[in-house]
């Protein structure tokens, strides 16, 4: 049995061949509002935070990797929580750099159906 559609795929199913048509704007705005509210609720405990996202294909020998690590370290030292995109490459560099004592870090995943198992 295939997995249930993601919210994006769900919208496309409404509009595709044989679909029932797109939900009206009120329904879509309500769904977007609920997602935003859930995001703010989930991130509220982190307080002062910075999101750092970047390519997972940057090797640790790359100068950009070291730059991301140093920037995250400075931000962590300044009291910011580092919120990253849970992957390798630049996000890993930010995680390593953001390891300031007593500062939380958080990794977030996005849906990339062709990139993830």
């Amino acid at each position: 049995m295939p997995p249930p559609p993601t919210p994006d795929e769900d919208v496309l199913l409404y509009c595709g061949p044989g679909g029932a048509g797109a939900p009206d704007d009120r329904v879509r705005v309500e769904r977007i509002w609920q997602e935003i509210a859930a995001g703010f609720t989930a991130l509220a405990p982190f307080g002062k935070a910075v999101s750092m996202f970047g390519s997972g294909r940057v090797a640790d020998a790359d100068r950009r990797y070291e730059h991301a690590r140093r920037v995250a370290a400075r931000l962590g030292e300044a009291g910011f929580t580092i919120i990253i995109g849970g992957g390798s490459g630049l996000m890993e560099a930010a995680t390593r750099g953001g390891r300031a004592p007593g500062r939380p870090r958080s990794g977030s995943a996005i849906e990339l159906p062709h990139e993830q198992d």
Side-chain angles (χ1 to χ4, degrees):
M1 176 173 235
T6 65
D8 292 344
E9 291 169 332
D10 193 34
V11 169
L12 293 174
L13 290 174
Y14 279 111
C15 301
D24 69 41
D25 286 344
R26 288 175 295 133
V27 172
R28 292 178 74 196
V29 168
E30 176 66 23
R31 194 152 102 186
I32 292 166
W33 181 87
Q34 289 173 354
E35 287 183 25
I36 291 170
F40 273 98
T41 299
L43 296 174
F46 294 117
K48 194 167 69 167
V50 172
S51 296
M52 295 181 72
F53 291 86
S55 175
R57 294 179 175 91
V58 173
D60 59 357
D62 191 296
R63 65 180 173 76
R64 294 171 294 176
Y65 185 99
E66 181 58 25
H67 183 70
R69 191 197 60 74
R70 281 191 315 235
V71 167
R74 298 281 305 269
L75 289 166
E77 290 164 3
F80 287 89
T81 296
I82 307 298
I83 300 173
I84 57 103
S88 58
L90 294 179
M91 293 168 285
E92 176 187 309
T95 298
R96 288 177 146 180
R99 290 184 178 163
R103 294 304 313 159
R105 295 176 317 271
S106 173
S108 302
I110 60 172
E111 292 177 6
L112 298 170
H114 302 291
E115 297 272 337
Q116 299 168 317
D117 293 331

